Amino acid sequence: MEKAMIRMRMSSHDAHYGGNLVDGAKMLQLFGDVATELLIRRDGDEGLFAGYENVEFLAPVYAGDYIEAVGEIIKEGNSSRKMSFEARKVIVPRTDISESAADFLEEPVVVCRATGTCVTPKNCQRK
């Protein structure tokens, strides 16, 4: 099955809680963007996210972290597309060293996993 990926840096605007902690809903927003790309590739249409069956928050995300969100279609119906998602922390700031220091993580840290179902109505499918 086809995969899609998005990578972005969490900013101070994403930090919602004390200690620059990013709200877990930000990972779901990234998964939504990945799902949209998968549907465009598969059906030629953005489709609709019907719901999540499972969401696991596994590690904290902070402002300055780089997150890579990946997803793939794992099952297809006539109009439904079941997808799996994973978000990984790949770069972390090292403000203990200097304001601009950062480390690339040789072993990414999985911060969130989810499965969900999207729907592309038959009349919107172009592929």
Side-chain angles (χ1 to χ4, degrees), residues 19-81:
N20 284 323
L21 185 64
V22 173
D23 190 336
K26 184 66 178 180
M27 299 308 102
L28 300 183
Q29 180 184 2
L30 295 176
F31 292 163
D33 290 342
V34 169
T36 298
E37 180 178 336
L38 286 168
L39 291 174
I40 291 169
R41 287 182 181 192
R42 168 62 182 85
D43 297 317
D45 190 88
E46 292 185 5
L48 303 165
F49 213 117
Y52 286 101
E53 288 108 45
N54 174 29
V55 177
E56 298 175 276
F57 297 104
L58 303 166
V61 175
Y62 300 98
D65 289 345
Y66 279 75
I67 300 297
E68 178 180 276
V70 296
E72 68 180 316
I73 297 171
I74 57 173
K75 186 177 179 184
E76 291 188 24
N78 287 328
S79 61
S80 65
R81 314 286 181 243

